[in-house]
Amino acid sequence: MIISDKDKRTRRLGLVYSTPMGLWLSLFFMVPLLIIIIYSFLTKGLYGGVELPVTMTAYKQMFNPNFLRVLLRTLWVASLSTLLTIVLALPCGYAMARSKHQTFWLGMVIIPFWTNSLIRVYAWISILSSEGFVNEALKTLGIIKESLSLIYNQGAVITVLIYMYIPFAILPLFTTIDKFDFALLEAARDLGATKPQAIFKVLLPNIRSGIITSVIFTFIPIFGAYTVPLLVGGKDSYLIGNIIVDQVTKTRNWPLASAFSLIITLLSTLGVLWMMTSTARERARLKQQPVKDRDDLQINGTAIIESSLKNSTGGR
Amino acid sequence: MDSNKKTAPPKQNGKKRLVPTQLVSPPTGPQGPYKLPKNQHFSDHRRFGFSNIMLVLVIVFLFAPLIVVIFYSFNESKGMRWTGVSLKWYVQLFMESEALWKAFTNSFIIAISSSIVATVLGSLASIGIKWYKFKSRTYIQIASFLPMVLPEVIIGISMLIFFTAVKIPLGMFTIFVAHTTFNIPFVFLLVSARLDEFDFSIIEAARDLGATERQTLFKVVIPSIMPAIVSSMLMSVTMSLEDFVITFFVSGPGSTTLPLYVYSMIRYGVSPVINSLSLVLILGIMILALSLKRFLKTIAASS
């Protein structure tokens, strides 16, 4: 009796604590998403806005070859920059996790990360533009006479995108690798694995969830990037984010903008679900069914280290 | 590449693969007990190894543009050709940029108000969700997670469409609402992470000693998660001051924020005042990061 009474009370209180946030997010986040879903099936109004006949026009308009080209380009740019970002971020996360000065390195990643994004884009503009830092420096050194065109192309967009989003990849990778037991690497090496083997067969599979998280946290924002292609890209490097914004601000085709937004929302949600299930699966695997190899490896690794500690007088 | 120059493994550890059992049972072979070479414990990681070099290179990559901008903020002339040291862009920034400081004030008002509301709502909800079990829990968790992963353009547009549909005029208020909305999830995550480490037997102890629900909340729980609350609030302030994309959609006439102002400066004629502004902002961020030193790891885990 007493327990159930207590339960009821706590239940109500939990709801009391969480309701304000729940209501706020429902009203200002979930309802807007619902409105987008509805709008995507309506007709474009004459002066912006939407009108009643329910149609699929917006979805048909999406198959315009122009949009498809931009969509493909966005996929290509987002995939390439995510890949490069992860390849650069992995060793960084590893080095940071192994460093004695973790806080220092975290600060070094976080300070540029928190700096106003427009200031960072502006910094790149002043470096790459035709009278920018690189061109002026090369001219002063007498290496070139005419300015190189370094900006307003796809290369510039990809470079700046990597620059903007690499902290998003480094931070989750660092967090995961920091929890990784480095004795496993040692053990793998002692059992005869080469360094690449130890990294690809022991380290990477164990930090899979961190890799997936950082892929998602770089791919999704890059996929929806708007500012970077607008400011450092040319007409041929517009991405889907720019198309959506143009539909809202210039063409005033709200149903089409809604339809695009909806598709991106669905894709992002799928990505997040994938991330969550793989993290959950990994947790379950580690908790309930310890994989035999890994377990063996751990036991052996620990045994080796213990015995070596016993045997050798001076450790590190 | 993979030859371990520094440690020179013992011969029995060479190319031949060792069977695990040989190692587990105390190996007292003819060579005596198995010994690792002295500095091989945890020493696969070398100071000038590949990953450390990559880390330094990436940090240089991250800082180089900022340093270039700061360097040229002391340049006398407008362009990127160095003509001499001058503080005139700082004079212009502090003395002759009224519109910029107006935008800065707007940004600040929104940052403070939205981060206070977000911190209160987010912290309370994470206490409620960690502490109790109830039906709509999953919904609230999903609703608090989604805004973090959707591209900013989508959040901005959906809010613009929403505010237009319910006929709320765009301005300071809509920016405040939008910023609160995207700040809540970060507060929620950061405080939840802290609550994960919280020892709930303390709450039971407080209750057993006769504390009421409210006393427990204000005298036990909140003080002990205060660091997380403060750091999530500072983070909210930073993100609010920084946001451009979402603000771009939900701002109206007269509600220009600092990022919007910087954007117009970039689009319609670059002025070196941005260079001097960069130094001021970066210094601010550095002070913030230093004061949050203790929480950087938690912040890394939640961003």
Side-chain angles (χ1 to χ4, degrees), chain A residues 10 13-15 24 26 28 95 102 108 117-118 122 136 163 178 186 189-190 195 220 244 300 311, chain B residues 13 20 24 34 40 42 44 46 52 61-63 81 132 134 139 149 157 159 181 213 242 259 275 297:
Chain A
T10 56
L13 261 171
L15 209 58
W24 184 287
S26 304
F28 296 120
Q102 290 187 341
M108 296 304 269
S117 55
L118 282 169
Y122 163 75
E136 290 296 334
Y163 180 80
D178 193 35
E186 210 74 18
R189 292 300 305 276
D190 288 341
K195 208 164 186 181
I220 293 179
I244 299 179
N300 289 332
N311 291 335
Chain B
N13 199 14
V24 175
Y34 175 77
Q40 196 170 316
F42 302 96
D44 233 19
R46 278 167 299 161
N52 280 343
F61 172 62
L62 283 175
F63 273 90
R81 186 166 285 149
Y132 309 101
F134 52 93
Y139 165 73
V149 290
I157 285 179
M159 287 204 148
T181 310
E213 187 72 44
E242 210 254 10
N275 292 342
K297 252 181 140 169

Side-chain angles (χ1 to χ4, degrees), chain B residues 263-280:
Chain B
Y263 173 74
S264 65
M265 278 171 104
I266 297 175
R267 280 246 83 176
Y268 310 108
V270 171
S271 154
V273 173
I274 305 183
N275 292 342
S276 46
L277 178 68
S278 310
L279 177 61
V280 175

Side-chain angles (χ1 to χ4, degrees), chain A residues 6 9-11 13-15 17-18 20-22 24-33 35-36 39 88 91-92 94-96 98 102-103 105-120 122-127 131-133 136 159 162-163 166-167 170-172 174-175 178 183 186 189-191 194-196 217 220 224 226-227 230-231 241 244-245 248 254 258 261 264-265 268-269 272 275 300 304-305 308 311-312 314-316, chain B residues 2 4 13 17 20 23-24 34-36 38 40-46 50-52 54-56 58-59 61-63 65-66 68-69 72 80-81 121-122 124-125 127-129 132-134 136 139-140 143-147 149-151 153-154 157-162 164-165 176-177 180-181 184 188 207 213 217 235 238 241-242 244-245 248-249 259 262-263 266-267 270-271 274-275 278 281-282 285-286 288-289 292-293 296-297 299-301 303:
Chain A
K6 204 176 168 185
R9 200 184 68 209
T10 56
R11 245 167 229 220
L13 261 171
L15 209 58
Y17 289 154
S18 318
M21 185 185 94
W24 184 287
L25 289 176
S26 304
L27 183 59
F28 296 120
F29 181 70
M30 295 310 245
V31 170
L33 280 187
I35 293 181
I36 275 199
Y39 271 33
L88 288 174
C92 293
Y94 178 80
M96 281 164 70
R98 290 213 98 166
Q102 290 187 341
T103 317
W105 292 115
L106 275 176
M108 296 304 269
V109 174
I110 283 174
I111 288 169
F113 179 46
W114 278 353
T115 304
N116 195 305
S117 55
L118 282 169
I119 298 271
R120 288 187 282 160
Y122 163 75
W124 277 101
I125 295 175
S126 56
I127 286 177
E131 270 135 37
F133 176 69
E136 290 296 334
T159 312
I162 294 174
Y163 180 80
I166 199 168
I170 294 180
L171 295 178
F174 161 76
T175 310
D178 193 35
E186 210 74 18
R189 292 300 305 276
D190 288 341
L191 293 175
T194 60
K195 208 164 186 181
F217 276 90
I220 293 179
Y226 163 68
T227 333
L230 181 73
L231 293 177
I244 299 179
V245 177
V248 172
W254 287 21
S258 304
S261 308
I264 293 184
T265 306
S268 316
T269 316
V272 172
M275 172 181 90
N300 289 332
I304 294 166
I305 289 147
S308 70
N311 291 335
S312 63
R316 188 169 64 136
Chain B
D2 57 279
N4 207 336
N13 199 14
R17 275 197 141 219
L23 289 175
V24 175
Y34 175 77
K35 248 186 190 177
L36 276 176
K38 247 184 198 170
Q40 196 170 316
H41 325 134
F42 302 96
S43 68
D44 233 19
H45 192 57
R46 278 167 299 161
F50 170 72
S51 63
N52 280 343
M54 285 297 285
L55 177 61
V56 172
V58 167
I59 299 287
F61 172 62
L62 283 175
F63 273 90
L66 303 181
V68 168
V69 164
Y72 279 91
M80 294 307 262
R81 186 166 285 149
L121 295 185
L124 266 185
I127 291 173
I129 283 189
Y132 309 101
K133 284 202 162 105
F134 52 93
S136 46
Y139 165 73
I140 292 181
S144 72
F145 190 67
L146 259 185
V149 290
L150 280 190
V153 170
I154 309 289
I157 285 179
S158 65
M159 287 204 148
L160 168 66
I161 288 177
F162 169 75
T164 320
F176 157 76
V177 168
T180 310
T181 310
I184 283 177
F188 181 77
R207 288 266 184 74
E213 187 72 44
L217 180 68
M235 238 185 105
T238 326
L241 287 177
E242 210 254 10
F244 165 67
V245 177
F248 177 72
F249 292 104
V262 174
Y263 173 74
I266 297 175
R267 280 246 83 176
V270 171
S271 154
I274 305 183
N275 292 342
S278 310
L281 291 180
I282 291 165
I285 299 290
M286 280 178 145
L288 187 76
L292 289 179
K293 220 167 124 190
L296 288 185
K297 252 181 140 169
I299 290 167
S303 37

Side-chain angles (χ1 to χ4, degrees), chain B residues 56-102:
Chain B
V56 172
L57 288 179
V58 167
I59 299 287
V60 169
F61 172 62
L62 283 175
F63 273 90
L66 303 181
I67 289 169
V68 168
V69 164
I70 291 173
F71 185 69
Y72 279 91
S73 71
F74 297 103
N75 191 5
E76 203 185 347
S77 68
K78 226 177 169 182
M80 294 307 262
R81 186 166 285 149
W82 186 260
T83 47
V85 182
S86 153
L87 287 176
K88 70 183 198 193
W89 306 119
Y90 288 91
V91 173
Q92 203 176 332
L93 170 69
F94 287 109
M95 303 296 178
E96 299 149 28
S97 311
E98 248 171 74
L100 189 149
W101 291 105
K102 176 78 181 55

